Amino acid sequence: MWFLCLRSSTVVVHDVFGEAHVSAWGRTSFSPTVGDDASLTWKLRKNCSLSPNQLAIILGLISVPCLIAGVVFCFLGAPVVLVFSILEVCVLALCFFQYARHAADTEWIAISGDNLEVCITSGATEYRRRFSLSLASMGLLSDHDNLTCISESGHMVKVGNSLPRHLRQEFFLALSSTVRQHRVGRWPD
């Protein structure tokens, strides 16, 4: 099922009315929204076509007929079909669980006061790092990934994994421009 492997992203900007989803495949603006506490927030995540719950339902709909066919052939004298049916369901389940594990991957970047906070959730792990806005440096990695690199005092975080490659530079420019404007005391419009 190749359609489950397609990878795009969604930029989610929090505002006072809830979450506004902006597709990264169309015309995207990487402008942050000012929160109640005067913080600026970007939330980047993959645009997964199926939630883990929907994925479990589809796995059941695919697995049940396969196992029923295996049991029928086992009763008709071909037990090897049941073995391969079970093997097929196990491989499908492994692939679906791997997909579901990373369906909720998120990169969250916030500017609040003199802090730039980054939180990256990948699978079951969460990484948080707080940088001083005045000391943090930002750059665009020039390798094949074009990820935004935020570093301070030997600590480095790469963000932008959930964005398509052609939008990573635009995101870097928007984030670095906002950081520069915040350092000199001007909030972006």
Side-chain angles (χ1 to χ4, degrees), residues 2 9 13 18 20 24-25 29 35 47 62 67-69 85-86 89 101 104 126 137 142 163-164 176 188:
W2 63 271
S9 65
V13 179
W25 292 111
S29 171
N47 185 9
I62 293 173
L67 291 174
I68 289 174
S85 294
I86 292 172
V89 169
R101 181 178 176 206
E126 182 177 287
S137 62
S142 60
L163 293 173
S176 61

Side-chain angles (χ1 to χ4, degrees), residues 10-25:
T10 301
V11 177
V12 180
V13 179
H14 290 282
D15 59 12
V16 293
F17 302 111
E19 290 185 351
H21 299 270
V22 181
S23 174
W25 292 111

Side-chain angles (χ1 to χ4, degrees), residues 7-47:
R7 205 175 146 201
S8 63
S9 65
T10 301
V11 177
V12 180
V13 179
H14 290 282
D15 59 12
V16 293
F17 302 111
E19 290 185 351
H21 299 270
V22 181
S23 174
W25 292 111
R27 184 75 181 132
T28 305
S29 171
F30 291 110
S31 301
T33 301
V34 180
D36 292 338
D37 58 350
S39 64
L40 301 173
T41 304
W42 292 266
K43 186 176 181 183
L44 309 173
R45 65 179 176 196
K46 295 178 186 175
N47 185 9

